[in-house]
Amino acid sequence: MAPRVEIIALGGTIACAPQGAGGGVAPGLTAAELTAAVPALADVAAVGARNLANVPSTEIDLPLLLRLAQAIRTHETEGVAGVVVTQGTDTIEESAFVLDVLHGGAIPVVVTGAMRNPSLPGADGPANLLAAVTCAAAPSCRDLGAFVAFDDMLHAGAWVQKRNTSTTGAFWSPAPLGWMAEGVPALYARPARRAALEVPAGAAVPFVPILKPGLSDPPHLVQAALDAGAAGLVLDLAGGGHVHSSWLDVLTGAARRIPVVFCSRTRGGRVLSCTYGQVGGEIDLMARGLTGSGDLDALKARLLLVLLLMAGQPDRFAAMTDLSLPLRAA
Ligand code: ASP
């Protein structure tokens, strides 16, 4: 019997249709239409398809992703082999990360989309959908958490980043899980998995802004964020996690009230913890009560902090930012 794969569509370029002369394209194609356009799906799985939304990806919010995670849990208990999520690419790096944090099951959760809409020559949606469904049906892709299948590359949800506005190979991760080799997922790495975070369905989404200081940028927005009720702050800082000295007093005060996390705007490598003793360096920031984001970039650190605040467990943040594999005993 063919493995069962559920496609849950949220919209995005993969589902876009022309809006008439000069009107550009907008999401509109349904999950059933996306599936019908790729007859080869029937060769790899018995596919079910439905929409949970049909929106540009910037309209996707955390309550929708919590409902999606619940739907995935239900499908796993029903015996589904895997779930594919199609959505706009602009926020895939956030959705895939959230789904990875919330998904404690073994089934593959594969997120995909398209950079070229279906009306363009060389539209990539059909190939991406076929690769995603193939991965979702593959026993070899179990226990990988949520990951992105795109342009024949497989990127862990914990790591994936969108790095280009328009090329079909827009997604990147420092160590891809693998790639599609003649239609089959070939795996070369595994992500470190952790217990799923349980977030109460009705929990309010707290205000946690990301601030990214540039040269000669005064720290006014820190106080503005506090005045606006921020429950946490995420700073996207230079280099290993460094900020101008004029920010230190207000950040020290903020960190006494709410979690304040610092990340690296390089979007690569782990934030530093014990290298620079200079003013505004990571050692200074940590002594002032700020927390480094470990392996997480600012978007992902923000989402982790938001989800932990929703779960009432913000103190777990630091322990969840190391994405490296546990060392094997000699
Ligand atoms: N450019 C986007 C996409 O690739 C639009 C969106 O994210 O909704 O789907």
Side-chain angles (χ1 to χ4, degrees):
M1 210 169 65
R4 194 175 137 209
V5 170
E6 286 296 325
I7 298 174
I8 303 180
L10 304 180
T13 294
I14 192 170
C16 273
Q19 301 298 291
V25 295
L29 301 176
T30 64
E33 288 170 318
L34 297 186
T35 307
V38 192
L41 294 178
D43 299 336
V44 288
V47 168
R50 72 177 192 283
N51 278 84
L52 213 53
N54 208 344
V55 294
S57 68
T58 40
E59 295 297 312
I60 293 171
D61 58 16
L62 283 171
L64 175 60
L65 292 178
L66 289 176
R67 279 197 288 133
L68 177 57
Q70 181 52 50
I72 291 166
R73 278 192 287 275
T74 303
H75 283 313
E76 180 149 17
T77 58
E78 291 166 355
V80 160
V83 173
V84 168
V85 177
T86 63
Q87 68 155 88
T89 58
D90 294 353
T91 64
I92 275 186
E93 63 194 293
E94 294 184 85
S95 304
F97 178 75
V98 168
L99 292 175
D100 193 56
V101 170
L102 299 177
H103 177 52
I107 62 168
V109 175
V110 192
V111 189
T112 196
M115 294 298 290
R116 296 185 185 144
N117 74 71
S119 71
L120 293 174
D124 52 338
N128 288 342
L129 186 59
L130 181 58
V133 170
T134 303
C135 290
S140 63
C141 289
R142 290 173 66 82
D143 292 312
L144 296 179
F147 61 98
V148 170
F150 216 101
D151 194 36
D152 279 349
M153 298 297 295
L154 310 177
H155 299 289
W159 287 107
V160 66
Q161 297 176 343
K162 187 176 184 184
R163 289 277 185 110
N164 193 284
T165 57
S166 44
T167 61
T168 51
F171 289 91
W172 179 90
S173 59
L177 300 176
W179 43 81
M180 300 302 290
E182 298 182 304
V184 176
L187 298 172
Y188 299 93
R190 301 194 77 81
R193 292 207 68 198
R194 47 189 173 217
L197 182 64
E198 290 189 25
V199 177
V205 181
F207 173 46
V208 179
I210 298 174
L211 304 182
K212 185 173 184 172
L215 288 183
S216 280
D217 204 356
H220 305 328
L221 289 180
V222 177
Q223 192 56 49
L226 294 174
D227 293 345
L233 276 183
V234 175
L235 305 164
D236 201 13
L237 299 186
H242 303 154
V243 72
H244 190 269
S245 49
S246 61
W247 284 60
L248 295 174
D249 284 349
V250 70
L251 287 178
T252 308
R256 287 197 195 105
R257 293 166 55 182
I258 56 174
V260 182
V261 168
F262 65 95
C263 315
S264 170
R265 69 188 191 192
T266 65
R267 300 223 298 164
R270 182 173 287 178
V271 292
L272 302 180
S273 61
C274 57
T275 300
Y276 287 96
Q278 65 201 31
V279 65
E282 75 279 0
I283 293 174
D284 190 8
L285 295 180
M286 290 167 70
R288 292 168 184 274
L290 282 72
T291 307
S293 69
D295 290 319
L296 300 179
D297 65 27
L299 285 174
K300 293 180 178 65
R302 174 186 168 272
L303 286 166
L304 180 61
L305 183 55
V306 166
L307 291 169
L308 286 169
L309 286 163
M310 292 169 79
Q313 304 171 31
D315 293 347
R316 288 181 61 198
F317 180 86
M320 293 178 73
T321 59
D322 179 348
L323 303 182
S324 63
L325 292 167
L327 291 177
R328 259 188 294 187

